[in-house]
């Protein structure tokens, strides 16, 4: 309160700033609400009046969207995501731990080789990857996505976990080793449990990546039954013709899991994002 | 695995870019650098390059510049503690949504007949400005760019916010004793304090701009008449829609070169920041 | 000796049962992953498998626009489907040239299978005298119109000539009615107009020559004339054609938002499925008006769609059996009943078995002297790329008919040089 008296202009500043921030909230949130409201209308109501409230909430649009393919896109995304996350963490943590804790020949070379992967844009490799996956008979399988996702997420995982492993004291592991644990047991019993926050960050980042990845999923899988959420959703635009309300419902359904995840684990999200500093 | 899936393709790209080949016929024909010459003679290449650059410039100004402003406001004393968290989470949320979902959302928002944007323009008496945002070659690319600002400004803001929180408190306290205004504190302490993060954010925004694909693919497919083509869709179209796999590879080499250079800059600064 | 024979017989029986029991798997790719066609085709496959226990068919589907890209990719992989959808014409011919599609001429001719089809619907699948596929769905482009809006505007005739057509448009416009619904976000929509106008404005032999990528020069003045006629229609189109999808424009047309629309006869089922009752009771059809140009005016634009067999299939006999079933009479009758399409089989229905709209449409198709292929699938991919971009610009009025054809000729020259 003291400060207000000292500078009378401050109250105005506070009010204006808050008003401005609330305006931004509206800009961010209103489009989503608009989509949500319209997703509850019937198609003809949408065309006649896209601004009012629905005369009767049609949750059937959600059922339509779900039954017209979204359920299988969901399953595909979950399968691909779960396997990718598992292997990214398993391989990434072993790799990072090895590099952080042990000295061996060519260590730096390997480390930079892995990190170099961060520099390469997946898009630029589309044509060769496509031909390679076809050659390996993996085209149009889950593995086409899983393998490429792991390959492109590993550098990031190693990068994050490596600096984390470096930052915690070696004494813990040493004492475990004195108690008779082998290197691998030390790793699984001591190191991984302590690293839970970073593992969570990597898992979440990989989950977001898989949930949203588009171009690989578009090119490496051909059958509509195998589509993951992003490609399946884009496909809705063609397949459902003018059944727009079902598309809108699809947008909402596809967005819910990540938002829920964020609400539950927002700390790991933010740290994962900031440590990684990589977009899309 | 990284070698096979990440590095090998880059090498192969160079190799393929020297051939004329189609996806469905087994033969390929060596053409040397002809694909590259074709790129430089292709009008669509220049449109794409222009669009990517436009996207990069606007994104840096809006996401990094405006994002920084928001970050400074959120760290300042004008906003209550609880509201800070609320604002941060709300602004951040769009970046979590998949680009496909956001692209489809804005596809409807920009619809000339039932879209939200034209509706609002009508409402506030600017009905004359109504247009088919994605169907008009003058507005289409800006419409797509605007969507990305909506989606990613909050993300960059959070990155900068974390960096601001790392600035030692003593610096601010010292300034307050000297009677510095909020504005002065921002200019003299906050911005220099997060300089490295600003560079990192700028670079990832630029890289993101040159990786652009999904937004365009979902919303305009490069149309109307190629006005929203970007390098990513240009490459995809050449390689997969017009069977010119070699030509596509040559474009990919160019994308690779641009993003690689930008990434090198990023790593340099990120490392400097960490040490 | 007898013992030896017995063993031999037992052995042979064993082998043959083993062979019969071994199931082959066919990969079947279509382009309708929507909630109406997909289940129908799944049922067709199920019934086929019940009749042919030695064959298992794996269905895959990609929707229309992505299909055009994906099919090229898929045919390049080792995972090429055995039986797959295609649009006859240049779209298919390039695959034939690259040796990706099986020649089925012998199978068609030797068993008399060929006689099942309406020949005009089978002919499109012929390339250099050989047959490569069979029609699954016949199609043609016609104008659908709303009788109520015609009456309201005082249009008491159905336009037969270009002049009459323009008069009708003008009258509608004066009455405050949008004359023509047009959604061109995906430029195949305009390709249907230009395809028709090209065919009617250019002498038949020149036009056919130009469709061949190895010979096409596109320098006949009729092509510019066709575009000029098209520009006469621009004032009569609904707003923002390049930003509206065809299906969206159609929804608006059904709702009474405009008076006419250039549609495919395969869209007739939508009338009965989606349109309000008022429209269902007051719509009609007419063919594209006579333009008086030097082209054959008795053509109808529209081409069948169908299925072909991969040249790499390991199971040609089984694939043929499936193709025959898929495009045959029994499936054809169910196809109409369940999804509203007609296939290329002769005398599939009597008049009283189908709805009047479909019946009229079929009569139009049967009356046409020949069918003109869709412009987009009849052109070489790179010519169409240029053509489509130029046409969208033409709709917006930022280019002229002369410039459009200049660009098309440039593209055609480049393509021709490669043959």
């Amino acid at each position: 309160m003291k400060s207000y008296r000292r500078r009378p202009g401050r109250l105005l500043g506070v009010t204006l700033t808050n008003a401005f921030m609330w305006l931004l909230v509206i800009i961010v949130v209103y489009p989503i609400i608009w989509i949500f409201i319209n997703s509850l209308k019937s198609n003809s109501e949408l065309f006649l009046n896209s601004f009012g409230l629905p005369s009767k909430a049609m949750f059937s649009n959600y059922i339509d969207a779900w039954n017209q393919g979204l359920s299988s896109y969901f399953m595909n995304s979950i399968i691909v995501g779960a396997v990718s996350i598992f292997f990214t963490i398993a391989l990434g943590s072993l790799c990072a731990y090895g590099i952080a804790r042990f000295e061996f020949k060519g260590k730096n070379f390997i480390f930079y080789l892995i990190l170099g992967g961060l520099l390469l844009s997946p898009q630029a490799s589309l044509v060769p990857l496509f031909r390679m996956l076809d050659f390996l008979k993996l085209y149009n399988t889950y593995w086409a996505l899983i393998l490429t996702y792991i390959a492109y997420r590993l550098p990031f995982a190693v990068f994050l976990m490596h600096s984390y492993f470096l930052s915690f004291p070696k004494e813990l592991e040493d004492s475990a080793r004195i108690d008779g644990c082998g290197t691998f047991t030390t790793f699984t019993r001591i190191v991984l449990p302590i690293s839970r926050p970073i593992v969570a960050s990597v898992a979440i980042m990989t989950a977001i990546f898989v949930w949203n990845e588009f171009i690989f999923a578009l090119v490496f899988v051909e059958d509509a039954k195998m589509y993951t959420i992003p490609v399946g959703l884009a496909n809705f635009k063609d397949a459902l013709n003018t059944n727009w309300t079902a598309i809108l419902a699809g947008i909402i359904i596809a967005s819910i899991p990540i938002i829920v995840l964020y609400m539950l684990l927002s700390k790991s999200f933010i740290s994962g994002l900031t440590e990684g500093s990589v977009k899309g | 695995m990284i070698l096979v899936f990440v590095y090998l393709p880059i090498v192969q790209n160079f190799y393929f870019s020297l051939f004329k080949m189609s996806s469905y016929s087994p033969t390929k024909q060596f053409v040397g650098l002809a694909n590259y010459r074709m790129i430089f003679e292709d009008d669509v290449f220049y449109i794409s390059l222009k669009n990517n650059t436009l996207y990069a410039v606007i994104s840096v100004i809006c996401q990094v510049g405006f994002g920084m402003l928001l970050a400074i406001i959120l760290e300042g004393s004008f906003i209550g503690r609880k509201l800070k968290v609320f604002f941060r989470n709300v602004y951040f949320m769009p970046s979590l949504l998949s680009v496909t979902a956001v692209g489809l959302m804005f596809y409807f928002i920009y619809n000339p007949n039932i879209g939200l944007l034209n509706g609002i323009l009508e409402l506030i008496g600017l009905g004359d400005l109504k247009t088919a945002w994605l169907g008009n070659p003058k507005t289409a690319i800006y419409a797509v760019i605007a969507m990305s600002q909506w989606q990613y400004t909050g993300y960059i803001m959070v990155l900068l916010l974390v960096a601001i929180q790392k600035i030692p408190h003593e610096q601010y306290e010292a300034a307050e004793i000297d009677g510095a205004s909020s504005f002065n504190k921002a200019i003299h302490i906050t911005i220099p304090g997060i300089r490295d993060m600003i560079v990192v954010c700028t670079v990832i925004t630029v890289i993101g701009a040159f990786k652009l694909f999904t937004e365009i693919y979902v919303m305009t497919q490069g149309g109307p008449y190629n006005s929203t083509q970007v390098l990513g869709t240009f490459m995809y179209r050449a390689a997969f829609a017009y069977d010119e796999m070699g030509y596509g590879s040559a474009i990919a080499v160019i994308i690779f070169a641009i993003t690689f250079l930008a990434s090198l800059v990023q790593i340099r600064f990120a490392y400097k920041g960490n040490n | 000796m007898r013992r030896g024979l017995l063993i031999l017989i037992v052995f042979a029986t064993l082998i043959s049962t083993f062979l019969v029991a071994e199931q082959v798997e066919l990969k079947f790719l279509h382009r309708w992953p929507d909630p109406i066609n997909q289940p129908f085709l799944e049922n067709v496959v199920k019934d086929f498998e019940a009749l042919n226990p030695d064959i298992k068919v794996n269905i895959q589907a990609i929707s229309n626009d992505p299909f055009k890209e994906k099919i090229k990719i898929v045919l390049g992989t080792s995972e090429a489907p055995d039986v797959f959808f295609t649009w006859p014409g240049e779209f298919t011919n390039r695959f034939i040239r690259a040796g990706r599609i099986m020649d089925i001429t012998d199978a068609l001719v030797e068993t008399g299978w060929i006689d099942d089809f309406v020949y005009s619907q089978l002919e499109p699948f012929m390339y250099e005298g050989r047959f490569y596929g069979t029609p699954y769905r016949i199609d043609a482009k016609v104008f659908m119109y709303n009788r109520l809006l015609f009456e309201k505007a005082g249009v008491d005739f159905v336009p037969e000539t270009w002049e009459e057509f323009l008069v009708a448009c003008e009258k509608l416009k004066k009455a405050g009615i949008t004359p023509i619904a047009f959604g061109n976000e995906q430029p195949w929509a305009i390709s249907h107009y230009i395809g028709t106008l090209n065919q009617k404005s250019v002498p038949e032999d020149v036009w056919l020559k130009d469709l061949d990528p190895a010979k096409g020069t596109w320098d006949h003045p009729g092509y510019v004339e066709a575009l000029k006629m098209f520009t006469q229609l621009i004032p009569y189109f609904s707003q923002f054609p390049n930003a509206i999808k065809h299906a969206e424009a159609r929804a608006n047309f059904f709702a009474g938002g405009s008076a006419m629309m250039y549609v495919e006869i395969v869209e007739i089922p939508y009338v009965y499925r989606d349109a309000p009752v008022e429209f269902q009771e007051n719509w009609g059809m007419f063919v594209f008006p006579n333009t008086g140009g030097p082209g054959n005016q008795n053509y109808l634009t529209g081409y069948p769609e169908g299925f072909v067999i991969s040249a790499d299939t390991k199971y040609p006999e089984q694939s043929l059996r499936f193709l025959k079933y898929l495009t045959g009479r029994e499936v054809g009758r169910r196809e109409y009943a369940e999804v509203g399409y007609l296939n290329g089989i002769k005398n599939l229905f009597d008049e009283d078995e189908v709805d009047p709209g479909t019946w009229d449409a079929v009569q139009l198709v049967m009356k046409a002297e020949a069918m003109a292929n869709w412009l987009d699938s009849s052109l070489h991919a790179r010519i169409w790329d240029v053509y489509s971009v130029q046409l969208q610009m033409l709709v917006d009025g930022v280019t002229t008919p002369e410039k459009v054809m200049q660009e098309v000729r440039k593209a055609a020259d480049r393509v021709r040089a490669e043959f």
Side-chain angles (χ1 to χ4, degrees):
Chain A
M1 283 320 275
K2 206 171 61 193
S3 60
Y4 285 165
R5 232 169 285 144
R6 208 169 49 209
R7 274 192 241 132
R10 191 184 152 88
L11 187 60
L12 186 69
V14 168
T15 318
L16 280 180
T17 315
N18 275 289
F20 175 67
M21 297 302 261
W22 279 108
L23 180 72
L24 285 182
V25 168
I26 292 173
I27 292 177
V28 169
V29 174
Y30 187 64
I32 301 174
I33 295 178
W34 182 75
I35 293 284
F36 176 70
I37 290 175
N38 280 315
S39 74
L40 293 173
K41 290 178 184 169
S42 73
N43 232 351
S44 54
E45 202 180 353
L46 172 71
F47 275 94
L48 286 175
N49 178 10
S50 59
F51 283 90
L53 289 170
S55 54
K56 183 174 130 257
M58 304 243 309
F59 286 101
S60 59
N61 292 331
Y62 283 76
I63 297 167
D64 277 356
W66 184 253
N67 289 338
Q68 285 169 19
L70 211 58
S71 53
S72 70
Y73 307 150
F74 243 79
M75 275 315 290
N76 295 334
S77 275
I78 288 172
I79 293 170
V80 171
V83 180
S84 307
I85 291 171
F86 176 78
F87 282 106
T88 306
I89 289 177
L91 295 173
S93 58
L94 278 173
C95 216
Y97 185 65
I99 291 169
R101 277 293 178 266
F102 302 103
E103 288 304 325
F104 53 91
K105 219 174 142 196
K107 171 177 141 167
N108 276 338
F109 176 71
I110 291 183
F111 184 54
Y112 285 119
L113 198 66
I114 294 175
L115 285 196
L118 280 175
L119 305 184
L120 304 176
S121 128
Q123 218 182 69
S125 310
L126 208 56
V127 174
L129 273 178
F130 160 73
R131 297 185 79 99
M132 192 186 307
L133 290 167
D134 177 41
F135 178 76
L136 297 172
K137 304 258 176 226
L138 293 175
Y139 175 73
N140 200 30
T141 64
Y142 289 134
W143 289 107
L145 298 180
I146 292 170
L147 290 176
T148 47
Y149 287 170
I150 297 173
Y152 276 91
R153 288 326 277 175
L154 261 186
F156 174 75
V158 172
F159 176 68
L160 276 192
M161 297 205 229
H162 173 257
S163 50
Y164 190 84
F165 290 153
L166 278 184
S167 72
F168 71 71
K170 220 175 166 178
E171 290 73 39
L172 259 178
E173 296 157 56
D174 291 341
S175 63
R177 211 160 288 138
I178 291 163
D179 291 348
C181 292
T183 308
F184 190 73
T185 5
T186 315
F187 177 69
T188 51
R189 290 267 177 80
I190 310 287
V191 179
L192 278 186
I194 299 180
S195 315
R196 270 234 300 276
I198 200 74
V199 169
S201 287
V202 173
I204 288 170
M205 294 302 295
T206 311
I208 300 182
F209 175 81
V210 173
W211 199 259
N212 296 345
E213 202 284 333
F214 186 76
I215 193 164
F216 282 180
L218 175 73
V219 176
F220 299 155
V221 167
E222 126 219 346
D223 186 5
K225 283 197 291 278
M226 304 264 300
Y227 286 166
T228 52
I229 293 251
V231 178
L233 208 54
N235 191 48
F236 259 30
K237 201 175 123 193
D238 291 314
L240 293 188
N241 258 320
T242 45
N243 190 1
W244 285 14
T245 48
I247 304 177
L248 297 176
I251 296 174
I252 300 286
I253 297 178
S255 305
I256 288 172
I258 292 285
I259 293 191
V260 169
L261 204 63
Y262 175 69
M263 286 173 172
L264 295 176
L265 300 162
S266 63
K267 265 219 180 97
S268 310
F269 259 86
I270 303 261
S271 68
L273 283 175
T274 47
E275 301 288 330
S277 305
V278 183
K279 231 194 232 178
Chain B
M1 190 152 86
I2 292 180
L3 268 183
V4 173
F5 287 114
V6 180
Y7 284 96
L8 186 59
I10 298 297
V11 181
Q12 282 182 312
N13 244 336
F14 280 106
Y15 175 71
F16 288 156
S17 72
L18 305 175
F19 290 87
K20 176 177 171 52
M21 54 189 199
S22 96
S23 46
Y24 54 84
S25 89
T27 53
K28 57 178 186 251
Q29 178 195 349
F30 183 78
V31 293
L33 295 175
N35 282 327
Y36 291 94
R37 206 173 48 235
M38 250 165 77
I39 291 180
F40 291 109
E41 285 169 4
D42 194 331
D43 293 341
V44 180
F45 172 68
Y46 294 101
I47 299 176
S48 307
L49 204 59
K50 195 197 86 199
N51 282 337
N52 280 117
T53 314
L54 196 65
Y55 186 95
V57 170
I58 295 181
S59 297
V60 168
I61 294 172
C62 180
Q63 291 172 28
V64 183
F66 189 62
M68 185 165 69
L69 180 70
L70 290 180
I72 292 173
I73 292 177
L74 278 189
E75 272 307 298
S77 56
F78 280 15
I79 310 263
R81 183 174 293 275
K82 275 197 180 143
L83 272 181
K84 274 180 189 174
V85 177
F86 171 75
F87 285 140
R88 186 197 70 187
N89 284 345
V90 169
Y91 298 162
F92 180 66
M93 192 182 55
S95 69
L96 295 171
L97 304 178
S98 79
V99 177
T100 323
V102 174
L104 279 177
M105 239 174 84
F106 276 78
Y107 179 80
F108 286 102
I109 287 169
Y110 291 139
N111 181 290
N113 297 326
I114 63 162
L116 179 63
L117 186 56
N118 276 353
I120 287 178
L121 287 176
E122 182 97 30
L123 201 71
I124 56 176
L126 293 172
D128 292 347
L129 290 179
K130 285 200 318 191
T131 180
W133 296 97
L134 294 173
N136 181 339
K138 288 198 193 74
T139 56
I141 189 67
Y142 294 98
V144 178
I145 293 175
M147 175 194 90
S148 292
Q149 311 314 313
W150 180 87
Q151 192 177 10
Y152 286 120
T153 303
Y155 171 72
I156 296 290
M157 179 199 78
V158 168
L159 289 185
L160 294 169
L161 210 54
V162 174
I164 293 177
Q165 283 161 356
K166 284 185 183 154
I167 298 175
H169 256 282
E170 297 78 40
Q171 290 191 22
Y172 288 106
E173 282 158 15
E176 258 159 49
I177 292 166
D178 295 344
S181 68
S182 311
F183 179 75
N184 276 332
K185 276 188 287 185
I187 293 291
H188 294 292
I189 303 174
T190 312
I191 294 181
I194 58 170
R195 212 187 53 216
D196 285 337
M197 196 44 147
I198 294 176
V199 176
V200 170
C201 285
T202 307
V203 175
I204 60 176
T205 306
V206 171
I207 296 173
F210 281 90
K211 279 184 182 171
L212 193 64
F213 176 82
T214 315
E215 287 87 341
I216 301 289
Y217 186 90
V218 172
M219 292 173 83
T220 66
Q221 309 237 316
Y225 33 97
N226 287 331
S227 61
T228 58
Q229 213 69 253
V230 291
L231 290 175
T233 51
F234 180 45
M235 188 256 321
Y236 176 83
R237 196 180 66 130
F240 296 104
Y242 295 117
D243 318 323
E244 304 274 351
M245 288 264 179
Y247 192 51
S249 287
I251 302 169
V253 168
I254 292 178
I255 301 179
F256 160 74
I258 296 173
T259 50
F260 183 74
L261 283 179
S263 301
L264 276 184
V265 178
Q266 177 195 4
I267 290 289
R268 227 184 92 86
F269 277 91
Y271 249 89
K272 224 170 108 191
N274 280 354
N275 298 337
Chain C
M1 187 62 207
R2 265 183 55 192
R3 230 177 110 133
L5 197 67
L6 197 70
I7 292 174
L8 204 70
I9 291 172
V10 169
F11 199 58
T13 328
L14 270 178
I15 289 180
S16 61
T17 42
F18 181 70
L19 281 178
V20 169
E22 195 192 30
Q23 232 186 10
V24 306
E25 286 199 17
L26 294 182
K27 194 171 139 185
F28 165 49
L29 176 66
H30 67 83
R31 69 156 186 93
W32 289 285
D34 60 73
I36 292 163
N37 282 285
Q38 176 91 347
F40 168 70
L41 286 165
E42 273 165 14
N43 283 333
V44 166
V45 162
K46 243 179 249 154
D47 294 347
F48 175 75
E49 285 172 344
L51 291 171
N52 299 270
D54 56 327
I55 303 177
K56 182 171 175 353
V57 180
N58 293 321
I59 313 182
Q60 304 203 339
I62 308 174
S63 64
N64 186 23
D65 284 290
F67 188 93
K68 293 172 188 168
E69 293 166 10
K70 285 268 163 152
I71 187 65
K72 296 166 210 159
I73 305 176
V74 172
L75 288 185
T77 68
S78 51
E79 292 288 299
D82 299 287
V83 176
F84 61 95
F85 171 88
T86 189
W87 289 275
E90 175 56 25
F91 186 88
T92 307
N93 295 347
R94 58 190 163 166
F95 300 136
I96 299 174
R97 284 196 296 271
R100 313 306 298 190
I101 297 181
M102 191 169 105
D103 180 344
I104 60 166
T105 316
D106 294 343
L108 271 169
V109 176
E110 276 164 19
T111 58
W113 180 19
I114 192 169
D115 299 324
D116 291 353
F117 294 101
V118 178
Y119 189 73
S120 68
Q121 300 302 320
L122 184 64
E123 201 184 5
F125 293 89
M126 190 198 262
Y127 180 72
E128 297 187 335
R130 309 291 295 176
F131 289 104
Y132 290 88
T134 51
Y136 172 77
R137 166 173 115 159
I138 66 170
D139 201 357
K141 201 83 180 177
V142 296
F143 274 102
M144 239 184 225
Y145 69 102
N146 185 328
R147 286 210 183 95
L148 295 176
L149 294 180
F150 267 45
E151 274 168 30
K152 205 172 141 199
V155 183
D156 50 3
F157 56 91
V158 175
E160 284 178 8
T161 66
W162 188 250
E163 288 70 30
E164 285 175 9
F165 187 64
L166 292 178
V167 169
C169 285
E170 189 57 35
K171 273 193 168 170
L172 286 159
K173 198 179 177 190
K174 285 240 170 73
I177 297 164
T178 306
I180 306 170
F182 184 40
N184 193 39
E185 190 195 273
Q186 285 119 345
W188 55 257
I190 189 175
S191 89
H192 293 173
Y193 274 98
I194 305 303
T196 307
L197 283 165
N198 279 351
Q199 179 272 318
K200 290 185 185 299
S201 311
V202 178
E204 196 167 348
D205 52 329
V206 179
W207 172 68
L208 286 172
K209 179 209 75 179
D210 285 336
L211 290 182
D212 180 345
K215 296 188 198 131
T217 49
W218 297 88
D219 45 12
H220 191 277
Y223 293 113
V224 174
E225 200 47 47
L227 295 178
K228 282 189 178 148
M229 293 176 83
F230 177 78
T231 54
Q232 293 178 308
L233 298 182
I234 292 175
Y236 303 124
F237 286 138
S238 47
Q239 241 187 333
F240 308 125
N242 283 343
I244 303 283
K245 282 165 64 140
H246 176 81
E248 194 184 339
R250 188 180 62 216
N252 182 283
F253 167 63
F254 284 169
S258 36
M260 292 182 271
M261 186 162 181
Y262 199 32
V263 298
E264 295 166 48
I265 60 171
V266 295
E267 293 175 71
I268 292 173
Y270 292 114
V271 174
Y272 299 107
R273 213 181 288 150
D274 298 345
V277 180
E278 196 184 42
F279 182 87
Q280 286 187 16
E281 288 168 354
N282 291 290
W283 66 286
M285 273 182 288
F286 58 91
V287 295
F288 202 94
N290 186 323
T291 65
N296 187 332
Q297 299 290 334
N298 297 324
Y299 263 68
L300 198 55
T301 297
Y303 234 36
E305 296 172 344
F307 287 93
V308 294
I309 298 174
S310 160
D312 299 332
T313 178
K314 287 196 213 86
Y315 313 110
E317 187 272 327
Q318 287 89 341
S319 297
L320 271 169
R321 239 192 292 162
F322 180 58
L323 184 69
K324 202 163 176 174
Y325 183 77
L326 181 65
T327 58
R329 178 172 302 274
E330 193 195 322
V331 171
R333 288 182 65 91
R334 284 179 55 191
E335 194 179 326
Y336 170 73
E338 291 176 39
V339 296
Y341 303 150
L342 295 166
N343 70 8
I345 298 290
K346 263 184 212 160
N347 307 322
L348 202 54
F349 289 104
D350 293 327
E351 184 168 359
D352 54 348
E353 287 178 297
V354 295
D355 66 80
T358 304
W359 182 256
D360 290 350
V362 171
Q363 299 320 305
L364 289 178
V365 173
M366 297 305 156
K367 227 167 49 192
E369 216 168 277
M371 303 301 289
N373 194 356
W374 312 113
L375 184 66
D376 52 350
S377 50
S378 63
L379 292 184
H380 189 278
R382 291 225 308 282
I383 303 181
W384 169 240
D385 179 33
V386 171
Y387 218 148
S388 65
V389 163
Q390 292 292 321
L391 289 178
Q392 277 199 323
M393 291 169 73
L394 189 71
V395 173
D396 274 351
V398 293
T399 187
T400 63
E402 287 81 6
K403 277 193 202 137
V404 172
M405 288 320 295
Q406 223 174 339
E407 293 297 320
V408 171
R409 274 197 299 275
K410 256 195 261 169
D413 290 345
R414 245 175 284 145
V415 169
R416 213 172 49 242
E418 285 171 19
F419 275 82

